[in-house]
Amino acid sequence: METALQWARGPIFWTAFAFMILGLLRLVVITVLDIRHIMRDAGDKSLPVGQLIRTTLSWLFPVRRFTHRITYSLTTIIFHVSIIIVPIFLGSHVMLWERSIGLSWPTLSTTVADVLTILAVVTALAIVVQRTIFADARRLSRFQDYAIPLLIAVPFASGFVAMHPTMNPFPYEATMLVHVMSANILFILIPFSKISHCLLLPFTQFVSEAAWRFPSDCGTQVAVALGKEKQPV
Amino acid sequence: MSTRDKYAYYIEERTLNVTERPRRFLEAFAAVLNSSSYGPALDTYTRLTTHCGRCAVSCQLYDVTRDPQDIPCERSEMLLKVYRRYFTRAGLFKARLFDDFTLTDEYLDQMADAYYRCTACRRCKLTCPIGIDHGLITHLGRYLLAEIEVIPKALVVATREQLEGVGNTSAIPAAALTDTCEFLEEELMDMYNLPAKYPIDVEDAEYVFFPAVSDFLLEANTLMGNAAVMHVTGGSWTIGTGNFDGINYGLFYSDRMLERIVKNIAGEVRRLKGKKVLVGECGHATRSAWFVPTFGGPDAPEVVNCMQYAYQQLKAGKLPLKDEKITERVTYHDPCNIARNGRITEEPRELLKAICSDFVEMTPNRTENYCCGGGGGTVSIDEIREFRTGPLGKRKADQIRATGAKYVVAPCANCKKQLREVCEDNDLPDVEVVGLHDLLLRVIDYTGFTEEKAETDTDAAEDLLKPVKEGVEA
């Protein structure tokens, strides 16, 4: 068990983490190059940049987005906030970073971290429950839409019980192994799954707008490719 | 039919489903991906779509029908599924491993149904946290369907007339246009003593005018309002007999047609050596004209909507208004094509506030406004009127009823037709749907611009010309 844990938090973690970073960077580079490519060929080279940045920011900080289904919106927002903040600013995580690469940054107090961790687990479950309650969300949901929030809940739940040995019915090392390995699996999944929106979201509004910037002969080219130049309407 | 029933030996399930239409659909898809800008958006959407369901609450159609195929995300998924399966590596790989989804005739029919139930109003885009433009997907889906000849007849017949027939969607010959303009000039003279002209084929004008051509048949007041505004503000404008139709159904079903029609508009402006495109009161005509920079080449003319022009003139103090305002309650309907992206929302409101004493807003309004229910060309399809004014138009009817307005101002030819039918079918007989320029026509202060009866005018001109004529004869 000891060796397994050491592997999990050592080489496996580094591989998975590097995989996530490189995978996400690859997606960002592809997306940015795609937008540049479109704009280079576009007949109309104007983009309402200010408006796009405002829209993007309004989704990154969705403080005014509570107009419909307040519980659902609130659940997802709390979920996002806690799963972003806790792993990055948890004291024991920062300590690990400091020990390995020598960098450190401000940390959360234990109480705040505990509250946010519990919120993360609860909201992850609540998302799954709400997906089954609302008929339209249920209809739209695929397997991964249920699996991913549940998978995300695992490292938070296991991390929480590992930090509170009195509440933990399992051996410490087994708990930590589950904690580290579930996180490793998530790191690998991130670039391949919808979770990649964690880094791509700032670009999506631009992609959507750029998609309307056609090359000046896009229609003619399609007609030529399909042999329809002479074909009547 | 299971494979066992058809053949004695086993063949893969997908072999049975291969037919001609799906193949052509995929060929068209490939061609479009090669030469348009949709690819990166589709990549991003297939990667990121979270299926959160937020868009369900913003769709006015789903709100009424509760039919799952009307949830914007579900509808977009129909096309994204095809893209994922046939145009991404992951999809091709998955198809090799498993007997994956195959595009069938039946699937295409479902898609066609779903993509013409949507009006492409793009309201759902505002509520998508990921930023997926479901209107873009509807636009693309219809384009691809058009390549396998699935197009509502009403749209394709009008486009045929415009590109290969008389030259405009209403099949109005140039001579009839001139007659109509003369008639409108006489009307303006009769009603207001206003000697406004519709300058035909005048070169070097600042604005070349492109209204929805159906206005010449149906919206005389709007066009008279346009002429009155141009006259009192001294605007330099003209209508070209080569092309005087702003309507562009290409926006609704095919980028190929969109490109051709936009290029014709830019070409007419060049022929007349005009400087700008002046679009009449029409939402989709304006949005299509905004593609002039895309298709019109490097020196593409600028595009101005007539409401923007009128507002500029009002602001500059060049649009004289009477002291008496319109007292009946007036509300404003934002056409999706100009308001959804926030490009034209304030100009018409400023104009209306200047001319009406009882202006009320619909809720929601501006970028979040509900579609009239006839967007995306569906208004031209008379067969589906019941669906348009029922499930699609119900929200709009409720909105109008709540304002208690007498006049609904809808600066769009399509919205006007649809809203009139919505009011008729939803028990709102007292509501009158008008254009913004219809009202402007009534409140412009013509003092200083009028002329006495036409005869005296002609006589005076005769007198002036007499010496010249004599000189010529001598």
Side-chain angles (χ1 to χ4, degrees), chain A residues 57-225:
Chain A
L57 288 177
S58 81
W59 282 113
L60 287 176
F61 305 99
V63 281
R64 281 199 241 159
R65 299 285 183 179
F66 296 106
T67 42
H68 301 289
R69 283 194 187 157
I70 298 165
T71 18
Y72 197 19
S73 307
L74 212 57
T75 316
T76 52
I77 289 169
I78 295 174
F79 173 73
H80 280 88
V81 168
S82 32
I83 66 166
I84 293 169
I85 290 183
V86 175
I88 300 179
F89 296 103
L90 187 76
S92 33
H93 284 183
V94 176
M95 207 174 70
L96 288 171
W97 283 113
E98 195 175 7
R99 223 183 276 164
S100 61
I101 56 167
L103 283 177
S104 75
W105 48 87
T107 58
L108 295 172
S109 78
T110 347
T111 333
V112 176
D114 279 352
V115 171
L116 285 178
T117 309
I118 295 170
L119 280 176
V121 176
V122 170
T123 50
L125 297 176
I127 285 175
V128 173
V129 170
Q130 290 183 65
R131 269 198 183 270
T132 58
I133 292 175
F134 295 116
D136 30 44
R138 187 169 64 237
R139 159 89 189 198
L140 288 170
S141 298
R142 303 154 293 181
F143 170 72
Q144 53 162 309
D145 298 319
Y146 298 112
I148 287 176
L150 293 177
L151 188 59
I152 290 174
V154 175
F156 287 87
S158 54
F160 183 80
V161 289
M163 294 285 276
H164 298 81
T166 47
M167 294 180 198
N168 190 2
F170 308 105
Y172 174 77
E173 274 164 6
T175 320
M176 277 313 282
L177 189 64
V178 170
H179 176 69
V180 178
M181 277 315 289
S182 56
N184 286 344
I185 293 173
L186 271 173
F187 291 149
I188 303 270
L189 276 179
I190 284 174
F192 289 128
S193 64
K194 63 174 187 175
I195 321 176
S196 52
H197 73 259
C198 63
L199 211 59
L200 285 179
L201 195 75
F203 304 95
T204 54
Q205 301 289 344
F206 284 85
V207 172
S208 286
E209 191 61 35
W212 290 104
R213 298 296 181 277
F214 308 137
S216 58
D217 57 348
C218 63
T220 315
Q221 279 187 39
V222 169
V224 172

Side-chain angles (χ1 to χ4, degrees), chain A residues 26-27 30-31 34-35 38-39 41-46 51-52 55 59 64-69 72-73 76-77 131 135-137 139-142 144-145 191-198 200-201 203-205 207-226 228-233, chain B residues 24 27-28 31-32 34-38 40-41 43-45 47-57 62 66 68-69 71 73-74 77 84 89 122 125-133 135-136 139 143 146-149 156 159-160 163-164 251 253 255-260 263 287 290-291 293-295 297 341-342:
Chain A
R26 173 183 162 268
L27 290 181
I30 290 178
T31 309
D34 274 345
I35 297 175
I38 289 180
M39 294 315 291
D41 294 347
D44 178 2
K45 297 192 193 299
S46 63
Q51 190 190 347
L52 291 172
T55 316
W59 282 113
R64 281 199 241 159
R65 299 285 183 179
F66 296 106
T67 42
H68 301 289
R69 283 194 187 157
Y72 197 19
S73 307
T76 52
I77 289 169
R131 269 198 183 270
D136 30 44
R139 159 89 189 198
L140 288 170
S141 298
R142 303 154 293 181
Q144 53 162 309
D145 298 319
F192 289 128
S193 64
K194 63 174 187 175
I195 321 176
S196 52
H197 73 259
C198 63
L200 285 179
L201 195 75
F203 304 95
T204 54
Q205 301 289 344
V207 172
S208 286
E209 191 61 35
W212 290 104
R213 298 296 181 277
F214 308 137
S216 58
D217 57 348
C218 63
T220 315
Q221 279 187 39
V222 169
V224 172
L226 299 174
K228 289 182 176 177
E229 308 107 291
K230 300 274 181 295
Q231 193 175 307
V233 175
Chain B
R24 284 173 47 228
E27 274 175 11
V32 168
N34 264 333
S35 50
S36 298
S37 314
Y38 299 111
D43 280 334
T44 307
Y45 298 168
R47 263 181 213 129
L48 300 190
T49 171
T50 59
H51 288 217
C52 69
R54 256 192 92 103
C55 51
V57 285
Y62 178 67
R66 308 313 280 182
Q69 69 166 330
I71 305 174
C73 196
E74 177 89 358
E77 182 60 24
R84 207 180 276 125
R89 264 186 232 126
R122 298 165 83 220
K125 191 199 173 250
L126 302 177
T127 52
C128 180
I130 296 292
I132 295 179
D133 189 343
L136 178 85
H139 178 88
Y143 180 15
E147 294 304 330
I148 58 166
E149 286 84 42
V156 74
T159 309
R160 193 172 291 147
L163 286 172
E164 287 160 359
L251 184 70
Y253 83 86
D255 288 353
R256 286 208 284 131
M257 305 306 141
L258 179 72
E259 179 190 326
R260 287 173 66 179
K263 282 185 169 161
R287 177 145 167 247
W290 285 334
F291 278 99
T294 297
F295 298 119
N341 51 11

